[in-house]
Amino acid sequence: MSAPTPAPDNRPDPEAAAAAGPPPDPATRVENLAAPADRPASAQPAPSAQPAPSAQPVPSAQPVPPAPPAVGSRATAAPRIALQTPDGIDRLLRRRQGAVLAGVAGGVADHLKVPVIWVRAAFAVLSALAGAGLVAYALLWIFVPQNPAVTGPPTPTTARERRQAFGIAAIGLALVLIGTALGFSSAVGWVLGPLGLAAVGAAFIWREADDTRRARWRRSASGLATPGAGAWWRLGGGIALVIGGLTVFALGQFEFSAIRSALIAVLLTLVGIALITIPWWLRLVRALGDERSERIAETERAEIAAHLHDSVLQTLALIQRQSGDAREVLRLARGQERELRTWLYGPAGYAGARGAPGHTDGDTMLAAALATAAADVEDTYAVKVEPVVVGDAEVHPGLAALVAAAKEAMVNSAKHSGETELSVYAEVEGGTASVFVRDRGVGFDPNAVDADRRGLAESIRGRMDRHGGTARVRSEPGHGTEVELTMPIEQQQPPVELKKRPEKESARTADSTGADR
Amino acid sequence: MTEQDPTTPEDTETPQAKPPVRVFLVDDHAMFRSGVKAELAGLHDERIEVIGEAGSVGEAVVRIQGDQPDVVLLDVHMPDGGGRAVLDQVHDALPEVVFLALSVSDASEDVINVIRGGARGYVTKTISGRELADAVVRVAAGDAVFSPRLAGFVLDAFSEKPGTAPVSDPELDLLSPREREVLKLLARGYAYKEIASQLFISIKTVETHVSSVLRKTQKSNRYELSRWATDRRLV
């Protein structure tokens, strides 16, 4: 009860003040335990356990002169302590300047922007509840970091203020004693136990949270501190429940068995706390959702970066090294362009999920097989081949022959036309697949071809013939060459099991491998 | 146009009296803009004159309205909405300014999107300087420019597939057999002149067909077209 004797000189040096205080923990301990807890603990646990008995006077000094200080950063988890929340609210920090005891009451007052005397009084009054105020004060002392600012206007604690503070502290301690004497405290202990645990747990969660998350929580909490009109009833209801719980408890001393009433009391109290914190929880859930989408975006960015590094940057490096060889540079650039395009827009690439329906991975479809063939030709002969495909069909042996013949035609054009650009157009229409391979090169007279070209034409034609397709070559010296290939999509062989196939399309494109399946 | 006769549209012997086409470049890559300018200047093509350029949507909107060029070479992918945003803000107010989209993208969404936004044509950035100049002259003359890939997309969109929604407006939602033929030849890489001789029609007729296809592509409510146009992905 007797308030500690005033510290000899606690104006300039808060640590000295703290050390002089009655609680067993010396200043050093405080420093070590100081956690980055900020405002949440103060803003909402208010109903639960807060104020402390050993009220301690602190001048109503200016909250926190912002100055990135050297000392305070000793606090374990938070090397840097912002003095204000992103919303411009002063953070909850224990006062360094002019603390009477540990600067807790002053810090809370600064944070809540209320006269410090109110805070002290609240601590003292709460002490009557089996020392709840004491517990709260101690917890705050442990978990609230000290204001790191050493400099700033030294706002000395006036003698009058200190006297007042010690007076309040004395009253608080007296209340504790009275409560104990009346046997009140053991009962209230039932309530304080869980509440104290909850408070400590919350403080720990807070302390472990990273800065961003804490910023988000703080925003949520500020909605709690200044509730909207709609929130008042909820806040009031919650507080009523808490008080109700305590009341039931008190009455229970006389009417119920101690344990049952304690349970009811705790239950009601917890429900009340839950009600009060509903908006906070809601916002927490939303914040988690935001965080998840942020993480997804981050993953995506990383994937893109990795891909660009493995492909584009490597190719650019290669190009720089080969810059003397125009053909090679063209080939590299073209190959890289194609690869990147496939990745960006292709069905199996980056945008795969949004790719056109009906396109599947691999070369089981005509369009994909043609694209692969064209890519091979591009890479081998350093020409530009851009296939345009309208419609698509599943590849069967006939269509595979069509693709092979088309590739042969592309190779032919690439080798003999003298052009660096080929047009390839394929369409699937009316049960027939057609491919046109065209160049604007030198051309030739089909009636007077040399053996070499004739042979190639034969290999194209022979391949098509064997699978029931046709090949036509149009060329004229000086006017380029066009090879037209057609192949029926329906297979001649009508195996019985094909009838089972529900899809018309797949039935038409069934092939020998279909029979194997 | 001066060349309706079988002479090629690429013919550089344009009457000297004709003033050059005033071209404006819109692309957020300064390097690409200067490359195009240098390439067009290197052709010494009297049909074309680059009069200005812009590197952002906002700048483009302001300067196009100030300069009133004949043809705008429009990049599809830019911050703040891309080429489509420029089209949306300028095209209605200045219908006489013609837009030719120029992009690295081959995605059907991008191609169809700018076409439906009012562009008269679409070419990819790998096009040669000579071809680009021809394309500019052609759109300036009121024609459409279809790259083989754009022709393929349009053919695909207008094709009759099982399960396609019934056609509500045959005038807009169907291609005539002739238009289809012309498109297929475009997709096969034929120039207008080659198409004309292949189909035994005049170049003028080919141009008419292509313009008609362009109009249908812009106005039709076919599911594919509207889906491509809304399903837009900005890179």
Side-chain angles (χ1 to χ4, degrees):
Chain A
M1 60 226 56
S2 65
T5 44
D9 174 28
N10 57 356
R11 326 189 145 180
D13 183 354
E15 300 222 15
D25 307 42
T28 50
R29 156 113 200 270
V30 170
E31 280 296 319
N32 288 338
L33 287 181
D38 335 296
R39 126 156 220 193
S42 82
Q44 60 208 35
S48 52
Q50 179 107 344
S54 51
Q56 101 204 35
V58 181
S60 53
Q62 288 306 337
V64 233
V71 190
S73 35
R74 254 191 283 152
T76 49
R80 56 226 140 90
I81 300 177
L83 298 178
Q84 290 206 325
T85 70
D87 310 313
I89 302 169
D90 294 326
R91 303 189 71 166
L92 178 59
L93 297 169
R94 285 184 293 112
R95 273 187 193 171
R96 182 177 286 275
Q97 306 287 343
V100 170
L101 186 54
V104 171
V108 171
D110 291 342
H111 179 70
L112 299 178
K113 296 202 161 57
V114 295
V116 68
I117 176 105
W118 294 8
V119 179
R120 291 188 183 122
F123 276 121
V125 168
L126 281 180
S127 295
L129 297 177
L134 265 174
V135 173
Y137 189 92
L139 286 176
L140 286 171
W141 191 346
I142 293 172
F143 289 110
V144 175
Q146 193 169 37
N147 183 358
V150 189
T151 59
T155 44
T157 318
T158 63
R160 180 175 161 270
E161 187 170 12
R162 194 171 306 124
R163 239 178 291 123
Q164 183 192 60
F166 286 129
I168 293 175
I171 294 173
L173 284 177
L175 283 172
V176 174
L177 288 188
I178 294 169
T180 313
L182 293 180
F184 190 52
S185 59
S186 68
V188 177
W190 280 101
V191 181
L192 278 184
L195 286 185
L197 279 180
V200 173
F204 268 108
I205 292 174
W206 194 256
R207 178 176 176 169
E208 295 308 316
D210 62 50
D211 272 354
T212 353
R213 202 173 306 145
R214 230 179 291 133
R216 237 178 265 136
W217 289 358
R218 227 175 290 117
R219 239 172 285 133
S220 322
S222 68
L224 192 81
T226 53
W232 277 115
W233 68 266
R234 192 177 50 232
L235 191 64
I239 292 173
L241 275 176
V242 173
I243 293 174
L246 295 173
T247 312
V248 166
F249 191 98
L251 295 178
Q253 291 311 298
F254 310 104
E255 289 167 29
F256 305 97
S257 78
I259 293 187
R260 233 173 81 205
S261 57
L263 284 181
I264 293 174
V266 169
L267 197 67
L268 282 179
T269 310
L270 289 181
V271 169
I273 291 174
L275 263 182
I276 294 173
T277 53
I278 276 178
W280 186 76
W281 288 113
L282 285 180
R283 262 172 270 192
L284 182 61
V285 167
R286 207 183 315 135
L288 287 178
D290 289 352
E291 201 176 326
R292 196 173 49 227
S293 51
E294 269 172 35
R295 212 178 319 124
I296 291 172
E298 183 51 50
T299 313
E300 209 169 11
R301 258 195 302 279
E303 190 200 339
I304 293 175
H307 182 90
L308 291 184
H309 177 267
D310 292 347
S311 57
V312 179
L313 289 183
Q314 303 284 11
T315 306
L316 286 176
L318 270 178
I319 285 179
Q320 288 172 40
R321 222 175 299 150
Q322 313 253 347
S323 55
D325 185 346
R327 192 168 179 271
E328 183 62 11
V329 168
L330 181 71
R331 203 179 62 76
L332 283 170
R334 190 59 198 146
Q336 181 58 64
E337 180 194 346
R338 192 182 55 240
E339 193 271 342
L340 188 57
R341 242 177 231 297
T342 311
W343 186 70
L344 281 175
Y345 308 120
Y350 171 69
R354 287 170 290 182
H359 286 250
T360 54
D361 305 270
D363 288 356
T364 61
M365 299 300 283
L366 179 64
L370 263 181
T372 309
D376 278 357
V377 175
E378 278 195 338
D379 278 349
T380 314
Y381 297 96
V383 290
K384 188 175 164 189
V385 188
E386 266 186 274
V388 174
V389 182
V390 174
D392 209 347
E394 214 170 309
V395 173
H396 60 68
L399 289 186
L402 176 73
V403 172
K407 186 176 177 184
E408 204 57 49
M410 292 180 224
V411 168
N412 235 4
S413 283
K415 273 159 75 175
H416 301 291
S417 71
E419 277 289 299
T420 56
E421 220 176 310
L422 311 179
S423 302
V424 175
Y425 170 69
E427 65 178 12
V428 178
E429 202 180 60
T432 306
S434 318
V435 178
F436 299 84
V437 178
R438 182 168 187 277
D439 67 66
R440 289 211 174 109
V442 292
F444 61 96
D445 182 354
N447 297 318
V449 289
D450 56 29
D452 177 35
R453 305 213 58 162
R454 184 174 174 76
L456 282 168
E458 279 308 316
S459 92
I460 293 173
R461 203 166 271 145
R463 210 178 238 138
M464 297 304 288
D465 284 345
R466 278 195 296 282
H467 289 87
T470 61
R472 269 192 297 166
V473 179
R474 274 187 298 270
S475 189
E476 201 182 319
H479 285 88
T481 306
E482 184 171 53
V483 178
E484 178 183 349
L485 308 164
T486 58
M487 179 66 69
I489 290 181
E490 308 200 22
Q491 276 304 73
Q492 300 84 339
Q493 40 152 325
V496 198
E497 64 270 23
L498 285 191
K499 288 183 184 139
K500 290 186 206 147
R501 297 185 167 243
E503 258 279 309
K504 196 171 73 177
E505 188 73 14
S506 56
R508 277 198 271 128
T509 60
D511 51 34
S512 54
T513 62
D516 293 339
R517 283 181 240 132
Chain B
M1 269 164 318
T2 41
E3 310 99 10
Q4 320 186 356
D5 43 309
T7 54
T8 112
E10 290 87 0
D11 201 341
T12 40
E13 295 166 31
T14 329
Q16 296 300 318
K18 203 165 175 183
V21 176
R22 299 163 68 246
V23 179
F24 190 92
L25 289 176
V26 180
D27 196 302
D28 55 331
H29 294 106
M31 205 165 71
F32 183 79
R33 289 200 304 272
S34 56
V36 169
K37 266 203 302 194
E39 199 162 14
L40 289 180
L43 294 173
H44 301 294
D45 194 327
E46 278 144 21
R47 301 174 299 169
I48 291 180
E49 179 194 5
V50 178
I51 58 155
E53 56 184 275
S56 70
V57 171
E59 190 188 354
V61 170
V62 172
R63 297 207 45 200
I64 290 171
Q65 285 170 340
D67 292 353
Q68 307 241 338
D70 298 323
V71 174
V72 176
L73 287 179
L74 186 64
D75 185 22
V76 173
H77 289 301
M78 285 186 292
D80 304 325
R84 180 66 194 252
V86 179
L87 277 166
D88 288 346
Q89 293 174 60
V90 177
H91 188 55
D92 283 344
L94 294 172
E96 66 278 5
V97 177
V98 179
F99 289 85
L100 177 60
L102 191 59
S103 170
V104 291
S105 169
D106 271 346
S108 48
E109 293 85 353
D110 299 328
V111 180
I112 297 299
N113 193 41
V114 284
I115 292 295
R116 284 176 77 91
R120 294 289 296 174
Y122 189 103
V123 292
T124 49
K125 281 180 174 176
T126 49
I127 193 173
S128 74
R130 164 63 52 196
E131 287 172 309
L132 180 60
D134 290 340
V136 167
V137 172
R138 190 173 293 142
V139 292
D143 295 326
V145 171
F146 274 48
S147 68
R149 193 165 290 274
L150 173 55
F153 286 148
V154 174
L155 274 173
D156 225 357
F158 282 97
S159 67
E160 291 307 321
K161 297 182 197 107
T164 311
V167 168
S168 56
D169 182 357
E171 157 60 18
L172 276 180
D173 295 345
L174 290 179
L175 297 179
S176 75
R178 207 50 156 175
E179 288 164 353
R180 197 172 284 275
E181 277 180 282
V182 170
L183 267 186
K184 283 186 182 181
L185 288 170
L186 278 171
R188 281 160 65 179
Y190 280 60
Y192 282 23
K193 181 183 70 158
E194 295 164 328
I195 294 172
S197 63
Q198 179 87 9
L199 299 178
F200 304 106
I201 55 179
S202 72
I203 289 182
K204 181 77 189 159
T205 312
V206 174
E207 286 162 351
T208 310
H209 285 313
V210 176
S211 292
S212 162
V213 172
L214 179 79
R215 188 177 59 87
K216 291 179 180 179
T217 307
Q218 287 172 337
K219 304 277 185 238
S220 167
N221 289 319
R222 280 189 83 102
Y223 172 69
E224 236 93 9
L225 291 170
S226 41
R227 178 171 63 86
W228 278 344
T230 50
D231 207 25
R232 153 150 215 249
R233 110 172 118 242
L234 279 180
V235 176

